[in-house]
């Protein structure tokens, strides 16, 4: 299972603290992130994170393309809804792709905690269940 991490500038510290708190769970999965988010979280946690470009330079689009190819299974995107970004249309397209491909998404810490606890319990391994039923 691959989890993508994205955090707006005002939410990077929150994402870092979240990943520190749930490092034990996250370490069991493949992690990808937009550039600065990936670097910041990896430095603080020691987690192995594949980082793409920064979000404003196309990192969100790189993650979106991987969602379209069924290479990402969950998205944790901590957004700052009070400060619109110029690349917000890219993020809307990213969220739309998650809906099309049934990717669980958290856009705030409350939902992220629900998803991470679901992972811990095994409730969100739906792709693995579908794969095993198709074999």
């Amino acid at each position: 299972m691959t989890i993508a991490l994205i955090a707006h500038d005002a939410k990077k510290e929150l994402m870092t603290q979240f990943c520190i708190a749930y490092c034990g769970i996250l370490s069991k999965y493949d992690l990808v992130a937009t550039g600065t988010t990936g670097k910041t979280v990896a430095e603080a946690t020691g987690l192995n994170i594949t980082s793409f470009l920064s979000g404003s330079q196309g990192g969100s689009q790189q993650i979106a393309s991987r969602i379209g190819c069924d290479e990402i299974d969950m998205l944790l995107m901590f957004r700052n809804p009070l400060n619109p970004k110029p690349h917000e249309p890219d993020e809307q397209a990213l969220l739309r792709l998650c809906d099309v491909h049934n990717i669980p998404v958290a856009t705030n810490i409350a939902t992220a905690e629900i998803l991470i606890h679901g992972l811990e319990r095994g409730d969100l391994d739906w792709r693995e269940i579908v794969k095993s039923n198709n074999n």
Side-chain angles (χ1 to χ4, degrees):
M1 175 177 274
T2 301
I3 301 169
L5 308 173
I6 300 173
H8 286 173
D9 289 343
K11 300 291 183 172
K12 287 194 189 328
E13 180 62 26
L14 181 63
M15 176 66 81
T16 301
Q17 293 303 316
F18 175 85
C19 291
I20 289 170
Y22 295 107
C23 191
I25 297 168
L26 292 169
S27 66
K28 299 174 186 174
Y29 300 97
D30 295 324
L31 302 174
V32 299
T34 50
T36 311
T37 299
K39 180 181 177 192
T40 303
V41 171
E43 287 175 356
T45 63
L47 289 167
N48 185 21
I49 301 174
T50 301
S51 293
F52 300 125
L53 297 171
S54 69
S56 62
Q57 295 178 346
S60 296
Q61 291 174 334
Q62 288 178 299
I63 289 174
S65 72
R66 282 159 177 79
I67 288 171
C69 295
D70 291 325
E71 295 173 7
I72 291 179
D73 304 294
M74 179 183 293
L75 173 62
L76 304 179
M77 182 169 69
F78 289 4
R79 305 184 327 151
N80 182 2
L82 301 177
N83 186 12
K85 301 285 184 197
H87 57 280
E88 197 164 325
D90 295 336
E91 291 179 355
Q92 292 304 316
L94 176 63
L95 293 172
R96 188 171 31 261
L97 273 172
C98 288
D99 288 341
V100 169
H101 292 271
N102 291 312
I103 302 300
V105 178
T107 58
N108 58 60
I109 193 161
T111 309
E113 287 189 334
I114 290 169
L115 290 180
I116 205 81
H117 288 296
L119 272 178
E120 186 177 32
R121 288 189 309 267
D123 296 344
L124 297 176
D125 291 336
W126 62 271
R127 285 185 183 228
E128 296 305 319
I129 294 168
V130 170
K131 285 178 190 175
S132 66
N133 286 340
N134 288 334
N135 290 332

